[in-house]
Amino acid sequence: MNTRTLNLPLASTGMFAVLGAQFFSALADNAILIVAIALVKARGAGEMAPLLQGAFVLPFILLAPFVGQIADGFPKGRVMLAANAFKLIGAVLIACGIQPILGYGLIGVGAAVYSPAKYGILSQMFAADRLVRANGMLEGSTIAAILLGLLLGGWLADHSMAWAFAGVIGAYALAAAINLLIPRLAPENPAPTFAPRALIRRFGQALRTLMRDPDARFSMLGTSVFWGCGSTLRLMLFAWVPVALTIQDNQTPANLMGVVSIGIVAGAAIAAGAAIAAGCISLDKVNRSLIGGLLISPIVLCLAHINQLLPASLLMATIGVCGGIFVVPLNALLQQRGHESVGAGNALAVQNSMENTVMLLFVGAYSLANRADLAVGTAMTGFGLLLSVSILLLALARLARGKATMARSRC
């Protein structure tokens, strides 16, 4: 396995290329989600919104044994370029009238291939002392793109679907062009074969290796719970806003998603900037990120009983801040452990498989609650309680293991 790291400065052309490509790709990813939801709502099929989310995350699960090795077996910048091409084709097909679920599923294929490459490339470009900061910069770029993509997607969906699709397609094309500026790094962990059976076996080995590593296991479980709940909350907003706030447009739920994104940017800055400089949240003190995770669920429970836009916006921003503090150090921790064992691309593919399996389960549960005509406020309360129990169990297990390790070291 190639463990060589370039150890680039953070303010390098390569880093700016990664940030730019990720910005425009993520902007288009989030704009097309709002546009696709608006499209099925306009057709009188709003109940298909959870199916859109399912079509997007399913490729992450089905392709997990392959995308990690693709990311590690080829130059990651070129993998990102090919993945953006898949996304571009999916957006063009939806614009041309194909069933949105199919087109959005193709975008999910591109996203599944893109994800392990975009995060895995950081561990080849930066040493461990810069890796959390690099992740913070990438996460900040991603969330800024999510914010702008949600805002533009919501606004354009309410005004002009033609312009909405033009903007999405243009953003994907620009991301693909910027991908060409990313340094052409050597493959990190080339496979002797790309035969499906062999790749599935390698994926299983990577999964077992990471699950036996306490740090990697903690990271994957923590991020899976966070993003699983985040994807469910995003869908809930489209049902909750008309009921709780009596606002019927596409812009308001998109804006609230954007407020969460602003909060995550702030949380990422805390985790990767001032807090790291002070030694508060670093790879050797990652347990402190649990504070952010534990604070999310009480805020969600409060949100379920809000009926005014300003308090709802403040609570959503706070959820974002706590989420950024929680998830950024966990991502960096997994990249470091993966880079030292199975390859960062394989580690991110395993993580994506776990995260998206949890997303599919949570979204499926919400879809069942929706079909059972469960009040959205009740569903949100149950969702908050589930999140609280999940992160609390994770925290207790992590802290118990830490105490056991300290006890053994004293013997």
Side-chain angles (χ1 to χ4, degrees):
M1 182 175 62
N2 175 24
T3 58
R4 179 175 172 268
T5 299
L6 293 181
N7 198 19
L8 296 175
L10 290 174
S12 61
T13 301
M15 184 59 175
F16 291 139
V18 171
L19 293 176
Q22 171 61 8
F23 177 84
F24 287 105
S25 185
L27 184 151
D29 285 348
N30 288 273
I32 192 65
L33 169 64
I34 304 300
V35 172
I37 291 175
L39 191 60
V40 297
K41 284 174 62 180
R43 295 176 178 176
E47 70 280 357
M48 291 177 61
L51 297 180
L52 282 170
Q53 187 70 48
F56 183 81
V57 304
L58 192 59
F60 282 86
I61 301 169
L62 298 179
L63 299 179
F66 313 106
V67 295
Q69 190 54 60
I70 290 171
D72 284 343
F74 296 95
K76 289 183 173 64
R78 298 305 180 261
V79 174
M80 294 164 69
L81 174 64
N84 270 319
F86 275 100
K87 295 181 181 182
L88 178 61
I89 293 170
V92 170
L93 290 175
I94 298 175
C96 291
I98 195 174
Q99 166 61 250
I101 291 176
L102 297 178
Y104 199 53
L106 185 57
I107 294 172
V109 171
V113 175
Y114 190 88
S115 184
K118 77 175 180 186
Y119 282 114
I121 199 171
L122 295 182
S123 60
Q124 285 188 275
M125 294 172 63
F126 304 104
D129 62 332
R130 295 175 182 165
L131 191 55
V132 176
R133 289 185 177 90
N135 268 275
M137 293 172 66
L138 186 64
E139 205 71 25
S141 172
T142 302
I143 301 304
I146 290 172
L147 170 62
L148 187 57
L150 292 172
L151 296 178
L152 287 176
W155 186 83
L156 289 171
D158 283 336
H159 290 81
S160 170
M161 294 297 286
W163 279 107
F165 281 114
V168 167
I169 292 169
Y172 279 139
L174 187 55
I178 297 174
N179 281 142
L180 297 173
L181 302 177
I182 295 174
R184 192 181 181 92
L185 299 167
E188 184 179 6
N189 190 20
T193 176
F194 278 89
R197 183 176 297 178
L199 290 180
I200 292 172
R201 186 167 54 251
R202 285 172 63 91
F203 178 80
Q205 292 170 349
L207 174 62
R208 287 191 295 272
T209 299
L210 293 172
M211 289 301 290
R212 289 172 184 152
D213 183 312
D215 287 335
R217 183 174 64 245
F218 168 59
S219 172
M220 291 190 297
L221 292 175
T223 59
S224 295
V225 170
F226 175 76
W227 290 117
C229 292
S231 63
T232 309
L233 182 60
R234 181 164 56 182
L235 289 175
M236 279 185 174
L237 287 176
F238 280 91
W240 179 79
V241 166
V243 173
L245 306 182
T246 64
I247 300 174
Q248 304 296 324
D249 61 12
N250 294 300
Q251 183 74 63
T252 300
N255 288 349
L256 287 173
M257 293 181 203
V259 169
V260 176
S261 302
I262 294 173
I264 295 181
V265 171
I270 292 171
I276 290 175
C280 292
I281 301 177
S282 57
L283 291 184
D284 60 338
K285 298 176 182 176
V286 74
N287 286 0
R288 296 181 184 181
S289 66
L290 283 166
I291 297 171
L294 290 170
L295 290 174
I296 296 174
S297 54
I299 302 170
V300 172
L301 292 172
C302 291
L303 182 66
H305 303 284
I306 294 295
N307 57 15
Q308 294 181 357
L309 182 58
L310 179 58
S313 299
L314 293 175
L315 289 176
M316 296 294 284
T318 307
I319 289 173
V321 171
C322 295
I325 292 172
F326 180 58
V327 80
V328 168
L330 295 186
N331 279 336
L333 180 64
L334 181 64
Q335 287 165 33
Q336 185 192 54
R337 303 304 298 151
H339 183 60
E340 294 172 354
S341 56
V342 300
N346 276 317
L348 268 295
V350 172
Q351 181 190 37
N352 282 335
S353 176
M354 290 185 64
E355 288 179 357
N356 286 278
T357 299
V358 173
M359 286 184 193
L360 201 60
L361 291 173
F362 280 26
V363 169
Y366 170 64
S367 181
L368 291 175
N370 195 30
R371 292 191 177 188
D373 293 325
L374 189 68
V376 67
T378 303
M380 189 173 288
T381 299
F383 162 74
L385 292 173
L386 175 62
L387 177 59
S388 179
V389 171
S390 300
I391 297 184
L392 183 60
L393 289 175
L394 181 67
L396 291 174
R398 178 70 174 181
L399 296 176
R401 184 192 173 275
K403 289 180 180 179
T405 301
M406 289 178 62
R408 285 195 299 269
S409 66
R410 290 171 182 167
C411 295

